Amino acid sequence: MINLEQLIRPNMLSLQPYSSARDEFSGSEGVFLDANENPFGEWNRYPDPFQNTLKQKLSEIKAVQPKTIFLGNGSDEIIDLCFRLFCEPGKDKALTFVPTYGMYEVAAAINSVELIQLPLKENFQMDIEAVEPFLNDKNLKLIFLCSPNNPTGNCIDNIEYLLENFNGIVLVDEAYIDFSTKDSLAKKTNQYPNLIVIQTLSKAWGLASARIGLAITNPEIVKLLNKIKPPYNISQLNQEKALEILSDTKNFEFKKKMILKQRTILQNELAKIDFVVEIYPSETNFLLLKVNDADAIYNQLIEKKIIIRNRNKVLANCLRITIGTPEENHILIDALKNIQL
Ligand SMILES: Cc1ncc(COP(=O)(O)O)c(C=O)c1O
């Protein structure tokens, strides 16, 4: 059983949070002369600091209670806030399996937290034997698991083993879960108080420019995250745009289906190209491929103004390709067929 008080940095527990004008009076009717806002205009008022309308909508879509949702300015903000909340700089540690999403390492470095990086196994699964010796380290506060994982594209198995055998926080980054055939762990936050599931509107919902990420977790952690976040971290414009996009579930399903169909088409076309050594199974909106010469292929595509991600430095001769529109994918395949090696 976790002891949340022992996991939180002491200064965060005792912190007196900033009390905004909207914290002190939350009604919507009246003459508002309390927040030094400009009285004129359409966008002159500060937004709801706790994004209650948006959380209500998200709670219906995700089938979780609003009090279990925290919203960040992109999931990147949530990753940073988790380091700040749980890890004492220069003392506490976090752990992840690599290759994975690069922001865990950057956010750890920004917060002066050591990030232990264990290699994923050859099948891109977590190495339980390798992680076992770290689980009793009192200074290990956070384990990051990206599932489906970026850049390998697969879901990680056995996450519940960690939830049951680690007394710190297990943060599961489900940025790509809407493209996956596997279930989200979001509903398991009732069962595991040490689980934080993060998701985003940047991928399947197509709202990367609005910067909205979600943490679904136990309400005590939501309260603590609320305490340390910047007061108005999601703009009114972005909250309204998100509500509009979230109301159009038909469009969401249509685009998701298109992306998944295009993924299959791209997979089939790539398999016909002789320098493609392997196409890894994907539960996401991208494909990871092993090729003969990733640098040469990447550079030739760049010359044609086709930009993919060269992952050669983290996985030898691997390229990551985001699924585009049918036209974009067609342009890519044409260009790949004309690569000179
Ligand atoms: C695994 C993963 N998590 C989080 C993010 C960032 O999400 P957001 O746009 O919500 O900050 C990305 C973006 O590529 C990602 O790949």
Side-chain angles (χ1 to χ4, degrees):
M1 191 60 200
I2 66 154
N3 181 338
L4 204 52
E5 286 211 354
Q6 272 177 14
L7 285 175
I8 308 293
R9 282 168 65 193
N11 64 318
M12 294 301 185
L13 267 183
S14 59
L15 179 88
Q16 198 52 44
Y18 176 71
S19 178
S20 72
R22 292 292 168 271
D23 280 325
E24 289 173 18
F25 183 87
S26 57
S28 58
E29 300 280 310
V31 177
F32 284 92
L33 304 172
D34 58 347
N36 295 347
E37 294 155 333
N38 190 314
F40 306 109
E42 191 187 349
W43 301 104
N44 53 327
R45 300 292 176 188
Y46 284 105
D48 171 6
F50 300 110
Q51 309 100 14
N52 286 313
T53 312
L54 184 51
K55 282 182 185 166
Q56 182 58 44
K57 183 83 197 160
L58 283 164
S59 79
E60 290 157 18
I61 292 171
K62 306 284 175 191
V64 296
Q65 290 183 58
K67 67 177 182 189
T68 66
I69 301 177
F70 172 82
L71 296 184
N73 198 278
S75 16
D76 286 345
E77 183 181 46
I78 301 174
I79 293 165
D80 179 63
L81 287 175
C82 286
F83 276 109
R84 294 202 213 178
L85 185 59
F86 297 108
C87 298
E88 196 65 47
K91 179 177 162 214
D92 289 330
K93 299 174 215 166
L95 182 148
T96 194
F97 288 89
V98 289
T100 192
Y101 181 47
M103 274 307 286
Y104 312 141
E105 188 179 0
V106 175
I110 290 170
N111 288 286
S112 275
V113 173
E114 181 191 341
L115 182 70
I116 299 159
Q117 302 188 44
L118 300 177
L120 285 167
K121 293 198 292 191
E122 222 163 273
N123 60 359
F124 299 145
Q125 286 298 334
M126 170 164 65
D127 188 341
I128 296 276
E129 273 175 33
V131 75
E132 196 79 70
F134 293 94
L135 298 183
N136 293 321
D137 181 343
K138 274 205 208 82
N139 291 119
L140 180 65
K141 295 290 175 68
L142 275 174
I143 296 182
F144 284 88
L145 294 171
C146 188
S147 181
N149 188 35
N150 174 7
T152 58
N154 62 304
C155 287
I156 304 291
D157 299 335
N158 284 326
I159 296 180
E160 290 193 37
Y161 176 87
L162 284 189
L163 288 163
E164 277 162 15
N165 291 283
F166 176 52
N167 288 328
I169 300 294
V170 179
L171 191 150
V172 183
D173 184 346
E174 293 187 339
Y176 299 95
I177 195 69
D178 295 317
F179 298 110
S180 171
T181 52
K182 305 272 163 55
D183 287 339
S184 162
L185 286 182
K187 291 205 190 78
K188 302 254 174 177
T189 52
N190 282 336
Q191 191 180 335
Y192 296 111
N194 58 339
L195 171 62
I196 301 178
V197 172
I198 60 176
Q199 297 187 1
T200 180
L201 301 190
S202 297
K203 308 295 177 184
W205 286 97
L207 208 56
S209 71
R211 315 301 306 121
I212 296 178
L214 302 75
I216 301 167
T217 185
N218 93 55
E220 290 310 307
I221 295 180
V222 172
K223 277 189 206 151
L224 288 157
L225 288 169
N226 277 332
K227 201 168 137 174
I228 67 167
K229 80 180 179 74
Y232 304 111
N233 62 330
I234 314 277
S235 79
Q236 182 66 23
L237 284 87
N238 290 347
Q239 290 187 48
E240 287 186 20
K241 196 66 191 174
L243 275 167
E244 182 194 318
I245 299 278
L246 289 167
S247 299
D248 194 352
T249 44
K250 253 196 192 153
N251 192 27
F252 165 75
E253 291 299 339
F254 174 75
K255 285 187 186 156
K256 193 170 73 172
K257 245 193 211 150
M258 280 272 280
I259 291 170
L260 294 178
K261 187 174 162 204
Q262 283 299 310
R263 189 178 75 193
T264 307
I265 292 171
L266 204 54
Q267 230 161 351
N268 293 340
E269 289 300 315
L270 289 166
K272 295 179 199 158
I273 297 175
D274 56 7
F275 59 72
V276 175
V277 177
E278 187 161 3
I279 306 165
Y280 296 95
S282 172
E283 299 268 347
T284 67
N285 66 334
F286 58 81
L287 287 171
L288 182 76
L289 15 154
K290 190 171 211 142
V291 291
N292 280 348
D293 188 345
D295 291 345
I297 295 163
Y298 176 80
N299 289 332
Q300 285 188 40
L301 289 178
I302 288 283
E303 277 169 26
K304 293 182 180 166
K305 295 200 164 50
I306 299 170
I307 303 102
I308 61 167
R309 200 77 197 265
N310 187 356
R311 298 281 76 191
N312 189 26
K313 289 207 174 89
V314 287
L315 278 171
N317 273 326
C318 281
L319 298 169
R320 194 193 71 191
I321 299 175
T322 307
I323 312 300
T325 62
E327 295 74 28
E328 289 169 332
N329 301 332
H330 188 73
I331 293 170
L332 170 78
I333 290 294
D334 256 9
L336 286 172
K337 283 181 181 159
N338 287 307
I339 292 273
Q340 310 284 334
L341 290 178

